[in-house]
Amino acid sequence: MRKRIVAIARKEFLHIIHDVRSLVIIFAMPVLMLILFGYALNLEIQNINLSVFDFSRTPASRKLVNQFAASKYFSIRYEKGTPSTIDSLFLSKEARAALIIDKNFARDFRNAPTTTVQLLVDAADPNAASFIKNYCNGVIGRFNDTHSTTFPLPFEIKQRIWYNPDMKSAYFFVPGLIALILIMISALLTSITITREKEMGTMEQILVSPVQPNEIIIGKVLPYILLAFLDGMLILLLGIFIFDVPFEGSSLLLILLSIIFLMTALSFGLMISTIVSTQQVAMMLSLSATLLPTVMLSGFIFPINSMPVILQYLSYLVPAKYYITIIRGVMLKGNTLWQLIFPAMFLLILTAVMLRNALHRFNLNLEK
Amino acid sequence: MRQIYYLIRKEFKQIFRTREMVAIIFGMPMIQMIILGFTITNEVKNVHLIIGDRDNSRISREIVRSFKNTDRFTVIAYETDINRISENIQEWNAQMALVIPLHFGRDLERHQTPEIQILMDGLDGNTAGVALGYAQAIMQRIARTLQVPEPVIASSSVVVEERMWYNMNLDNAQYMIPGIVVVLLTIISMMLSAMSLVKEKEIGTLEQLMVSPLKRYQLLFGKIIPFLILTFIELGLVMTFARLIFAINISGSLLLLGFLSFLYLFTTLGLGVFVSAITGTQQEAMFISWFFMVFMLLMSGFFIPIENMPPLLQHITYLNPMRYILAIIRDITQKGAGLRFLLTDAVPMTIYGIIIFFLAVVNFHKRTA
Amino acid sequence: MKTDQIAVQTEDLTRRFGKFTAVKSATVTVMEGEIFGFLGANGAGKTTMIRMLCGLLKPSSGRATVSGFDVYRQSEQIKQNIGYMSQKFSLYDDLTISENIEFYGGIYNLPVETILRRKENLLQELGLQSEAEKLTRELPLGYKQRLALGCALLHDPPILFLDEPTSGVDPKARRSFWNLIYLTSQKGKTIFVTTHFMDEAEYCHRLSIMRDGEIIALGPPAKLKETHKKSSMQEVFISIVNGELPA
């Protein structure tokens, strides 16, 4: 039996090797994606255009504005008009935020316990607005630290940040990217290969030979597991070298669990190809069913715990969710197998269910 | 142009004849819109918290109560041993821990400024930062109630009165729901167009069409127009449903939004057809269009603001049609912007569409599989 | 029915793909009403030849005209005047028979009444009137083949190009297909056919044999057999391809 599987696997492998363009795409694209998104997905804002309406025009107010100017994140522009122009400033995108200092600023700053300034933020993009708001508050906080003595808090808060103390975006996103890339390649590849043969009719030729249907599936899928695995290793290494993502845990463990994950992704692709009749539909289904859920429900960007409960349950069906925990866990926390046993188990269960479904349908299709 | 009409008619017949295709085209975006619409939240909630109250005084219990009373945090364990806490954080059980030291209440009364520890999993920097902010806010609220007013005149501290313009509550849904609809339709439209032409290459009917007097641009129009009509109608449908389900308000002109979305769809379809024109097999077309889509998705400003990207990469986003339409959607739905302010996005997007269509015609390889 | 008008003429027609020359200096003249065959092994250059004449490929050098139109500068007029059928049959499996016919009629810009009229005729000829609303994929191969031919003739072109039109079809169907070709030729149409079936070569008025891009023999089948002193085209072909000179 093994010989037959190997024979099929080899044929499939040769198919792939001869398709140079696809090979280039399979390996070059993920690398490109890793580099592009590793740098692009950033939690730090680059530049905020801040319009300043300073009606006080005293040394005190200028000190405040300078605190903003000194920050590399802000580009300051003094506005001559009234705050009624803010709307058109925001509309034309000349400014993302506006600071309004009223004429009593200096007086209040000398005499009152607190002095109020107004901050208006273009919140049409709430994500960006959050960032901007936080940065502004950070600047004001620093201003307060240097220029005023507030009542000290009766107690102190000491914070310790474990794992990624510098809060580097790359640490968070790069492992997630790897998972994203892997799941898509595998699901895509498998669904295509099986359906294509169905379409071309060569499936029947193989079926009349003494090869078992299960052997066919395993044989066909094997080269793709290998490819996806190589791909994964490639971007993993790149991620580590280019972005300095640490690797605290056991590489053996990661390899093992990655293989399990690949099997899950591939089973998904297999399942799709047994449901569907044409290559076109297979591709569309595998893509539309994996892309958004993987990006949004897996914890890649949005924290799962913050989602409505129903969706938290739904995320249990997303294989990428488990793998993201796994890869972040091994790379950044040095998790052991025991600590990752739940995600691993869930992956195995999902694989088993989908594989069984696929095989069942495959046999059904044969009988038709 | 009669010939284009025949091409369109054929395309429609083919699409509607495959039930699976119709199910995906119409079902997927709708279903995903409903599901994903509910994931959109910028709020950090339900942060898993461990409480380690070593003091158990009245004040420490009050602090603990404050943390329990908010849905921002969910207390999952009570644990005072730092090692156990560390384990829990490592094992993904909790993201944060609050440790109140022994004699906290007593030291407080003696003005000895005791220290509360907050331990955090910093992996998800964004969530960690926000959660930390919440925790500090809670603490400061409590601190203020404890404060004894000092007669010392200290100099003032600056306090910010914030106003979130266009979106008072930083409600993510208002912007992101229409965004999600556009994203979903981008996926569908690109896939449809990317596969369609190359499929005809594969099965050989393209050759038959090339031998006829049909011009290349007629063929390409014949591919784009049916999908354009289809996806545009679907956009309208899904958007309407989305607005109903999620109660989205649109400040600006619906007509303008529709018109610009139409242009956008033309651009994405053009992109898909371009991919179809330069590839030889459906598999290749799928790979390339898929990577295009991931690029478009992640670099559109939808998940991570474009402002956060390094300047070089910000420039690359100009090549992404999705960037423009999302900005347009934002501006129309949130700011009620009129056409004048939208031109900086609408014009490049349209030019992009024209250029890509032109490129598709020119690069149309008559290579058959 | 042959006339004295030239339908297709080539002179030193050549096509290169990088370093590889697919067609070398082909010089051929085909008269109106002829059934002209292109015989050769796979890869000999037959398909490339046809594609150049159909306007699917630009030649690398040499001259050619189809129906008097130049292949370099007047390919649009050529396309209006030719019909084409490839071995893939190029019908849309997921359209009905009726829809396929109407589609190809519309592509060639025929008026609606003409399309409907010719559709009825075609359906009648094929005996498929009652099956018109069936999906094309359900047709047996022989029918598909004839349907494809019918679609290629829908706009009544004077010249027909057939690239291995009988691939994969059983011998009986092949015979009846060639009967169709004869009938079409009788109506005054010129038919340019490529094939690798030797027995089909016998059916042509004239044929040429290609090997490695070159035309190594040209003439009516009877003459070729006589020149090479063989009794069947198969033997002629083998001997020519093996490099034996005519006796």
Side-chain angles (χ1 to χ4, degrees):
Chain A
M1 165 173 123
R2 200 177 307 150
K3 266 217 278 214
R4 291 195 290 257
I5 295 185
V6 167
I8 295 187
R10 248 192 41 198
K11 161 185 104 56
E12 201 63 33
F13 202 68
L14 287 173
H15 266 186
I16 302 172
I17 299 281
H18 285 142
D19 191 0
V20 178
R21 273 173 81 123
S22 283
L23 262 187
V24 165
I25 296 173
I26 293 175
F27 283 101
M29 292 282 186
V31 170
L32 197 66
M33 276 171 69
L34 180 73
I35 298 179
L36 203 60
F37 304 135
Y39 282 116
L41 298 179
N42 213 332
L43 296 172
E44 290 185 353
I45 218 166
Q46 298 290 320
N47 179 57
I48 305 171
N49 287 336
L50 182 69
S51 276
V52 177
F53 293 83
D54 185 356
F55 295 114
S56 166
R57 279 185 266 261
T58 54
S61 66
R62 270 193 285 274
K63 256 200 266 207
L64 178 63
V65 178
N66 282 338
Q67 191 84 32
F68 279 96
S71 157
K72 60 177 176 164
Y73 297 117
F74 287 93
S75 293
I76 311 286
R77 195 174 78 178
Y78 278 97
E79 301 294 337
K80 298 229 170 42
T82 65
S84 59
T85 58
I86 287 182
D87 199 39
S88 76
L89 281 173
F90 283 170
L91 275 173
S92 61
K93 311 218 176 119
E94 285 171 67
R96 290 306 297 273
L99 184 69
I100 306 180
I101 306 175
D102 79 22
K103 59 186 190 325
N104 296 322
F105 181 78
R107 188 196 70 191
D108 290 341
F109 196 63
R110 268 196 301 278
N111 302 324
T114 60
T115 315
T116 307
V117 297
Q118 277 190 71
L119 177 70
L120 274 59
V121 179
D122 176 351
D125 179 352
N127 277 342
S130 278
F131 282 113
I132 295 175
K133 181 171 79 123
N134 291 337
Y135 276 94
C136 287
N137 283 326
V139 172
I140 303 243
R142 276 195 291 284
F143 177 80
N144 282 334
D145 284 342
T146 41
H147 295 276
S148 60
T149 30
T150 46
F151 295 114
L153 282 178
F155 53 80
E156 262 175 32
I157 302 174
K158 174 167 161 200
Q159 58 198 51
R160 268 164 72 181
I161 304 191
W162 286 326
Y163 311 119
N164 195 7
D166 300 325
M167 305 242 233
K168 288 213 176 138
S169 315
Y171 290 16
F172 182 57
F173 285 121
V174 169
L177 269 176
I178 296 176
L180 188 72
I181 295 173
L182 277 182
I183 199 174
M184 285 196 218
I185 296 187
S186 350
L188 201 62
L189 285 176
T190 21
S191 64
I192 290 174
T193 169
I194 301 239
T195 325
R196 176 160 46 148
E197 300 244 359
K198 230 197 273 184
E199 239 173 84
M200 299 257 181
T202 44
M203 184 67 92
E204 281 151 0
Q205 249 184 326
I206 304 181
L207 290 172
V208 296
S209 72
V211 184
Q212 299 276 31
N214 301 348
E215 292 170 358
I216 296 180
I217 293 192
I218 297 178
K220 283 182 137 312
V221 159
L222 233 40
Y224 289 108
I225 296 188
L226 184 62
L227 264 186
F229 184 72
L230 287 174
D231 229 338
M233 288 294 107
L234 180 65
I235 40 184
L236 182 65
L237 288 171
L238 278 178
I240 294 178
F241 283 123
I242 298 182
F243 296 103
D244 282 327
V245 182
F247 199 101
E248 307 281 343
S250 150
S251 25
L252 203 62
L253 181 61
L254 185 61
I255 291 180
L256 176 67
L257 292 175
S258 302
I259 294 183
I260 297 182
F261 175 63
L262 279 176
M263 303 223 49
T264 318
L266 289 166
S267 312
F268 180 66
L270 274 175
M271 197 176 71
I272 288 187
S273 54
T274 53
I275 300 177
V276 144
S277 54
T278 66
Q279 197 178 357
Q280 195 172 10
V281 181
M283 294 192 213
M284 289 198 64
L285 192 56
S286 64
L287 202 92
S288 56
T290 48
L291 184 50
L292 272 187
T294 305
V295 173
M296 298 190 69
L297 285 180
S298 62
F300 174 49
I301 300 182
F302 300 114
I304 299 181
N305 283 341
S306 297
M307 297 180 196
V309 179
I310 309 176
L311 288 174
Q312 291 187 39
Y313 283 132
L314 204 61
S315 74
Y316 279 97
L317 290 175
V318 179
K321 164 201 157 102
Y322 303 108
Y323 189 65
I324 284 190
T325 305
I326 288 175
I327 194 173
R328 283 180 182 156
V330 173
M331 284 181 80
L332 301 160
K333 289 189 175 180
N335 280 147
T336 62
L337 177 57
W338 187 242
Q339 291 173 322
L340 292 172
I341 197 72
F342 276 122
M345 293 264 64
F346 270 107
L347 275 181
L348 283 172
I349 294 175
L350 278 176
T351 309
V353 167
M354 289 197 282
L355 209 50
R356 210 170 140 255
N357 193 309
L359 285 174
H360 178 67
R361 280 183 193 273
F362 192 59
N363 287 323
L364 271 183
N365 285 342
L366 288 184
E367 283 155 32
K368 270 199 223 149
Chain B
M1 298 298 118
R2 269 185 79 232
Q3 294 139 310
I4 299 186
Y5 159 72
Y6 276 98
L7 286 168
I8 298 177
R9 206 173 83 155
K10 155 184 96 71
E11 210 65 48
F12 271 120
K13 288 207 159 82
Q14 287 181 299
I15 294 173
F16 284 103
R17 205 153 265 158
T18 322
R19 267 174 317 162
E20 294 163 325
M21 198 54 117
V22 178
I24 293 182
I25 294 177
F26 286 99
M28 275 283 148
M30 194 68 90
I31 295 176
Q32 291 198 344
M33 178 273 291
I34 297 179
I35 294 179
L36 298 173
F38 286 110
T39 53
I40 306 288
T41 170
N42 204 30
E43 281 200 1
V44 170
K45 285 201 292 211
N46 187 27
V47 175
H48 289 184
L49 179 69
I50 296 180
I51 302 265
D53 184 358
R54 292 188 183 143
D55 189 40
N56 215 3
S57 61
R58 187 190 54 89
I59 183 67
S60 73
R61 281 199 295 271
E62 190 182 319
I63 294 179
V64 171
R65 231 185 349 255
S66 307
F67 275 92
K68 282 171 80 171
N69 279 342
T70 166
D71 66 350
R72 302 235 157 115
F73 295 101
T74 305
V75 179
I76 55 125
Y78 296 91
E79 182 57 65
T80 52
D81 182 326
I82 294 266
N83 288 329
R84 293 290 304 275
I85 290 179
S86 153
E87 256 174 48
N88 268 301
I89 292 187
Q90 193 192 24
E91 287 171 20
W92 303 92
N93 294 330
Q95 221 176 336
M96 194 160 112
L98 186 72
V99 179
I100 306 177
L102 193 57
H103 302 312
F104 179 74
R106 188 195 71 186
D107 290 346
L108 209 57
E109 275 168 38
R110 296 185 189 169
H111 296 298
Q112 279 175 338
T113 329
E115 187 184 87
I116 291 185
Q117 276 191 75
I118 295 185
L119 309 164
M120 297 221 57
D121 181 350
L123 255 188
D124 178 354
N126 199 23
T127 310
V130 176
L132 201 57
Y134 290 155
Q136 285 173 336
I138 293 181
M139 302 290 224
Q140 283 176 353
R141 242 198 335 267
I142 296 184
R144 243 168 266 154
T145 64
L146 295 174
Q147 261 167 340
V148 178
E150 302 261 324
V152 177
I153 308 278
S155 62
S156 201
S157 65
V158 176
V159 159
V160 179
E161 177 190 303
E162 298 169 342
R163 269 177 61 197
M164 298 293 118
W165 206 255
Y166 305 124
N167 191 343
M168 276 194 307
N169 304 319
L170 280 189
D171 180 2
N172 241 341
Q174 293 294 320
Y175 153 60
M176 290 190 93
I177 302 282
I180 281 260
V181 176
V182 162
V183 166
L184 287 168
L185 273 133
T186 307
I187 296 178
I188 293 281
S189 62
M190 269 207 78
M191 286 202 294
L192 282 176
S193 55
M195 312 266 283
S196 174
L197 194 63
V198 82
K199 179 174 185 195
E200 297 217 30
K201 257 191 241 186
E202 273 190 3
I203 59 180
T205 50
L206 188 66
E207 197 179 62
Q208 196 69 37
L209 292 175
M210 296 307 313
V211 147
S212 75
L214 272 182
K215 307 232 193 333
R216 283 189 283 187
Y217 77 85
Q218 288 177 311
L219 237 159
L220 292 182
F221 265 125
K223 284 288 171 191
I224 291 186
I225 293 178
F227 295 133
L228 187 57
I229 298 177
L230 209 60
T231 48
F232 185 62
I233 293 180
E234 200 187 345
L235 178 68
L237 274 172
V238 179
M239 192 69 92
T240 309
F241 267 101
R243 286 181 64 199
L244 286 174
I245 298 179
F246 296 103
I248 312 282
N249 284 324
I250 295 189
S251 316
S253 157
L254 210 55
L255 206 63
L256 200 52
L257 188 59
F259 175 63
L260 291 171
S261 307
F262 187 80
L263 284 178
Y264 171 70
L265 284 174
F266 177 77
T267 307
T268 37
L269 287 169
L271 205 51
V273 166
F274 173 68
V275 169
S276 217
I278 61 173
T279 52
T281 65
Q282 286 186 74
Q283 186 168 9
E284 233 185 296
M286 197 77 257
F287 276 143
I288 295 186
S289 60
W290 161 50
F291 280 110
F292 250 110
M293 273 187 274
V294 177
F295 158 73
M296 282 170 76
L297 199 56
L298 291 180
M299 306 254 307
S300 60
F302 187 58
F303 296 114
I304 304 276
I306 295 181
E307 292 85 10
N308 287 16
M309 302 181 193
L312 175 65
L313 292 180
Q314 285 194 35
H315 285 120
I316 295 188
T317 64
Y318 286 112
L319 291 175
N320 180 1
M322 206 186 278
R323 170 222 160 99
Y324 301 110
I325 192 64
L326 284 177
I328 289 175
I329 289 183
R330 253 198 310 264
D331 292 346
I332 294 185
T333 60
Q334 308 287 82
K335 303 185 189 181
L339 186 57
R340 187 164 63 100
F341 292 107
L342 298 170
L343 286 176
T344 44
D345 285 307
V347 169
M349 187 176 81
T350 314
I351 295 182
Y352 192 105
I354 296 176
I355 293 183
I356 208 77
F357 183 77
F358 181 66
L359 282 176
V361 173
V362 164
N363 274 307
F364 194 1
H365 293 312
K366 299 173 189 181
R367 214 170 15 114
T368 47
Chain C
M1 183 185 81
K2 287 195 270 183
T3 70
D4 292 328
Q5 297 287 69
I6 296 180
V8 176
Q9 185 165 52
T10 80
E11 202 181 310
D12 285 327
L13 202 59
T14 307
R15 172 71 200 197
R16 281 179 284 271
F17 292 104
K19 291 212 195 111
F20 170 66
T21 310
V23 174
K24 290 183 196 131
S25 276
T27 302
V28 164
T29 307
V30 180
M31 311 301 288
E32 264 183 33
E34 266 198 275
I35 300 180
F36 190 87
F38 251 81
L39 204 62
N42 289 329
K46 319 189 291 293
T47 302
T48 311
M49 188 73 183
I50 273 207
R51 303 183 96 227
M52 283 195 283
L53 295 172
C54 284
L56 287 172
L57 269 182
K58 283 257 182 299
S60 305
S61 65
R63 288 200 293 257
T65 59
V66 174
S67 248
F69 296 110
D70 178 82
V71 298
Y72 290 99
R73 288 173 292 122
Q74 295 170 301
S75 54
E76 292 312 303
Q77 288 95 316
I78 292 183
K79 287 177 178 174
Q80 190 66 41
N81 281 299
I82 61 172
Y84 174 79
M85 182 185 150
S86 78
Q87 49 185 301
K88 290 187 189 155
F89 301 164
S90 304
L91 294 169
Y92 291 99
D93 268 343
D94 50 357
L95 291 182
T96 65
I97 299 171
S98 170
E99 284 165 354
N100 259 308
I101 301 176
E102 284 179 27
F103 172 70
Y104 280 112
I107 290 301
Y108 279 92
N109 227 349
L110 299 175
V112 181
E113 321 87 51
T114 316
I115 297 180
L116 291 174
R117 194 173 14 102
R118 292 188 188 173
K119 181 178 85 160
E120 282 310 309
N121 287 342
L122 182 54
L123 287 173
Q124 221 173 36
E125 270 174 38
L126 296 173
L128 288 175
Q129 292 112 306
S130 50
E131 324 276 320
E133 299 312 315
K134 272 219 187 121
L135 284 182
T136 310
R137 76 161 65 99
E138 296 173 37
L139 271 185
L141 213 54
Y143 274 104
K144 259 202 216 172
Q145 186 196 38
R146 286 184 284 159
L147 180 61
L149 184 65
C151 283
L153 287 169
L154 212 55
H155 58 292
D156 205 23
I159 304 182
L160 198 57
F161 286 96
L162 306 174
D163 190 7
E164 312 223 6
T166 54
S167 304
V169 168
D170 67 81
K172 182 156 168 272
R174 280 203 283 131
R175 277 291 284 278
S176 55
F177 187 77
W178 272 91
N179 279 336
L180 268 185
I181 295 186
Y182 268 132
L183 284 171
T184 315
S185 160
Q186 297 274 340
K187 295 185 195 155
K189 298 201 186 294
T190 314
I191 303 178
F192 204 99
V193 126
T194 67
T195 179
H196 59 258
F197 289 116
M198 299 306 141
D199 53 335
E200 291 186 349
E202 311 256 7
Y203 302 151
C204 301
H205 292 140
R206 271 196 313 152
L207 60 97
S208 66
I209 300 186
M210 279 188 93
R211 181 186 67 179
D212 294 329
E214 278 186 73
I215 296 181
I216 51 181
L218 183 66
K223 191 106 188 299
L224 287 174
K225 283 192 276 194
E226 196 193 296
T227 319
H228 292 263
K229 300 234 173 5
K230 304 281 183 206
S231 53
S232 78
M233 274 315 301
Q234 182 149 6
E235 292 168 25
V236 172
F237 182 76
I238 293 177
S239 85
I240 287 185
V241 162
N242 282 342
E244 292 166 17
L245 294 172

